[in-house]
């Protein structure tokens, strides 16, 4: 079941989000510059409280940023009204919250959930429910209600229902957190097929190192900033727009916080030299 690319390009510039908390402000995001190309499959990593879910909610238009800009395809979210944001989500953006049962109507079977989502989707392209369920690897359990399904099947149905109408962007919060290894693999395989075969852009939040290892690209959020990126298992630091370069792992051990460094060019390479302060 192959379709032409339909994914949305996602881009943010100087994204900041501040939460008021007990008389003072807490910055959940402190300047995120990010680009995800159409059809990319990307995982957001980082410790709890780093800002991953906040970023996901901002990309979905569920919250307004304190500063900065977000583009989904040609749409600048800051210029859209609440009604226009609702229309954009109905047409182009699939939001999958943590816990598969929260994404489905419990009184309906899996097949009925998917069929209803297809009818409600603002899309010119219609799809056959059985064909889509088969393409996603969902068998006879599709006729069960969500509570009676295997957890992995329930999550697969939730994903299929969310992307009904060929939405160009999937935002998923911890989609494998309640699954065993087999269920996790089935869900990751479906996200991979959405990316490869339908050109859908997929951004997911995960704490699972196995999920992270299998992603073609990872983005690590630390203290509200992009602290690093991974490509096919190789980790890289990322220089931000304001010149900030986060360090981690062995690099941070060699250059602990407060270290003075001297930067110089040598034979076309940047050399970083720690400076010993004299008392």
């Amino acid at each position: 079941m192959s379709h032409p690319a339909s994914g949305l390009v996602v881009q943010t510039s100087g994204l900041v989000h501040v939460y008021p908390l007990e008389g003072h402000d807490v910055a959940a995001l402190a300047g995120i510059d990010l680009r995800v190309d159409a059809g990319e499959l990307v995982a957001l990593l980082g410790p709890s409280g780093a800002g991953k879910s906040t970023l996901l909610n901002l990309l979905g238009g569920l919250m307004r940023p304190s500063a900065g800009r977000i583009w989904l395809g040609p749409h600048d979210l800051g210029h859209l009204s609440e009604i226009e944001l609702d229309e954009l989500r109905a047409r182009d953006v699939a939001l999958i919250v943590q816990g598969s049962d929260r994404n489905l109507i419990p009184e309906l079977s899996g097949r009925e959930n998917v069929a209803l989502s297809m009818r409600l989707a603002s899309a010119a392209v219609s799809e056959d429910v059985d064909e889509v369920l088969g393409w996603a690897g969902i068998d006879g359990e599709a006729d069960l209600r969500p509570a009676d399904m295997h957890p992995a099947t329930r999550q697969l149905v939730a994903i299929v229902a969310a992307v009904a109408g060929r939405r160009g962007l999937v935002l998923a919060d911890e989609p494998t957190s309640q699954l065993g290894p087999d269920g996790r693999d089935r869900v990751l395989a479906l996200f991979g097929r959405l990316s490869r075969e339908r050109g859908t852009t997929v951004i997911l939040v995960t704490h699972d190192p196995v999920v992270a290892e299998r992603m073609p690209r990872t983005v690590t959020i630390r203290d509200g900033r992009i602290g690093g990126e991974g490509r096919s298992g190789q980790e890289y630091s990322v220089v931000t727009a304001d010149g900030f370069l986060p360090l981690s792992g062995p690099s941070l051990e060699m250059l602990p916080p407060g270290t003075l460094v001297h930067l110089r060019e040598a034979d076309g390479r940047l050399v970083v030299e720690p400076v010993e302060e004299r008392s």
Side-chain angles (χ1 to χ4, degrees), residues 201-278:
T201 306
V202 180
I203 302 175
L204 61 90
V205 167
T206 185
H207 283 95
D208 188 339
V210 175
V211 174
E213 289 174 2
R214 296 185 183 180
M215 291 295 103
R217 179 184 176 192
T218 60
V219 176
T220 301
I221 310 294
R222 297 190 185 97
D223 298 324
R225 292 177 175 265
I226 292 180
E229 290 209 22
R231 300 287 194 283
S232 302
Q234 179 66 50
E235 288 295 319
Y236 301 93
S237 295
V238 181
V239 180
T240 65
D242 59 0
F244 176 76
L245 177 63
L247 301 178
S248 62
S251 298
L252 189 57
E253 293 177 4
M254 296 176 65
L255 301 171
T259 301
L260 294 180
V261 297
H262 177 249
L263 306 180
R264 63 181 178 86
E265 185 272 337
D267 299 325
R269 300 170 65 91
L270 180 65
V271 177
V272 180
E273 298 177 329
V275 177
E276 294 185 10
E277 293 189 84
R278 297 178 180 178

Side-chain angles (χ1 to χ4, degrees), residues 2-276:
S2 180
H3 300 278
S6 59
L8 290 179
V9 175
V10 176
Q11 188 162 351
T12 72
S13 177
L15 200 61
V16 174
H17 193 72
V18 176
Y19 290 106
L21 180 64
E22 298 180 355
H24 64 280
D25 294 336
V26 175
L29 299 178
I32 297 289
D33 298 303
L34 175 68
R35 179 184 172 90
V36 178
D37 288 328
E40 270 202 278
L41 175 55
V42 179
L44 300 180
L45 313 178
S48 297
K52 305 181 303 297
S53 294
T54 296
L55 178 57
L56 209 68
N57 288 332
L58 290 171
L59 295 179
L62 298 178
M63 305 186 301
R64 301 277 189 176
S66 303
R69 302 176 71 179
I70 304 170
W71 292 269
L72 301 185
H75 307 287
D76 185 338
L77 298 195
H79 292 165
L80 300 184
S81 67
E82 293 300 326
I83 292 176
E84 289 171 327
L85 285 173
D86 287 340
E87 293 173 345
L88 180 64
R89 283 191 293 267
R91 182 180 64 249
D92 294 322
V93 181
L95 298 165
I96 303 172
V97 300
Q98 192 170 353
S100 55
D101 54 323
R102 298 172 58 197
N103 296 286
L104 297 169
I105 299 174
E107 294 80 13
L108 301 181
S109 70
R111 187 184 310 278
E112 291 168 335
N113 267 283
V114 173
L116 177 60
S117 294
M118 287 184 175
R119 289 197 297 272
L120 295 177
S122 304
V125 180
S126 61
E127 297 182 279
D128 180 80
V129 175
D130 289 329
E131 183 184 1
V132 174
L133 289 171
W135 176 82
I138 300 169
D139 52 25
E141 281 191 274
D143 291 314
L144 301 177
R145 293 183 177 182
D148 299 322
M149 294 177 181
H150 186 279
T153 302
R154 185 165 59 241
Q155 185 65 290
L156 293 175
V157 171
I159 294 169
V160 171
V163 300
R166 309 238 194 112
R167 289 175 172 86
L169 172 64
V170 175
L171 303 171
D173 194 358
E174 296 281 2
T176 65
S177 63
Q178 299 175 357
L179 304 178
D182 180 66
R184 176 197 61 211
D185 293 346
R186 293 174 64 191
V187 167
L188 293 182
L190 180 54
F191 281 136
R193 296 191 70 187
L194 283 169
S195 172
R196 292 190 310 272
E197 299 178 22
R198 297 176 66 120
T200 306
T201 306
V202 180
I203 302 175
L204 61 90
V205 167
T206 185
H207 283 95
D208 188 339
V210 175
V211 174
E213 289 174 2
R214 296 185 183 180
M215 291 295 103
R217 179 184 176 192
T218 60
V219 176
T220 301
I221 310 294
R222 297 190 185 97
D223 298 324
R225 292 177 175 265
I226 292 180
E229 290 209 22
R231 300 287 194 283
S232 302
Q234 179 66 50
E235 288 295 319
Y236 301 93
S237 295
V238 181
V239 180
T240 65
D242 59 0
F244 176 76
L245 177 63
L247 301 178
S248 62
S251 298
L252 189 57
E253 293 177 4
M254 296 176 65
L255 301 171
T259 301
L260 294 180
V261 297
H262 177 249
L263 306 180
R264 63 181 178 86
E265 185 272 337
D267 299 325
R269 300 170 65 91
L270 180 65
V271 177
V272 180
E273 298 177 329
V275 177
E276 294 185 10

